[in-house]
Amino acid sequence: MDFRPYQIPALVLAALLAASGGTSAFARDHDDARRAVEAGEIRPLADILDVVKGKLPRDVVGVKLEREAGVWMYEFRVVDDKGRLLEIHVDARSGEVERTKEK
């Protein structure tokens, strides 16, 4: 199965978790994410997906926006063709894949 951008809109809500703590700060709601986009701190999720869709293995099953060490990151949860769950961290401004780890 190929990555399909139309699978993502329902996941936008998951990107805007109302949680914080630990070493990262999560976007509290869609207003925080919108303000970050308007301020030029991050690119919209749709833009980032256009940049990384060819780099993500298979299906995106979750996404969240968080700030790590002062840098906004999109964290994609992806299931690869072997059924493994991967966490892929993408710089929310540049769209560069920063790291990938298996969950």
Side-chain angles (χ1 to χ4, degrees), residues 5-21:
Y6 63 81
Q7 294 173 325
I8 301 306
L11 298 176
V12 172
L13 294 175
L16 308 169
L17 297 175
S20 65

Side-chain angles (χ1 to χ4, degrees), residues 10-70:
L11 298 176
V12 172
L13 294 175
L16 308 169
L17 297 175
S20 65
T23 60
S24 63
F26 296 95
R28 293 190 191 284
D29 59 26
H30 67 281
D31 290 331
D32 287 347
R34 187 186 44 186
R35 280 190 289 273
V37 169
E38 290 170 354
E41 295 177 21
I42 66 172
R43 291 170 62 184
L45 178 58
D47 289 358
I48 295 294
L49 286 169
D50 284 342
V51 171
V52 300
K53 67 182 173 185
K55 300 174 187 175
L56 300 179
R58 302 285 296 228
D59 299 322
V60 175
V61 296
V63 63
K64 63 184 172 185
L65 176 64
E66 60 187 346
R67 195 168 184 118
E68 298 176 352

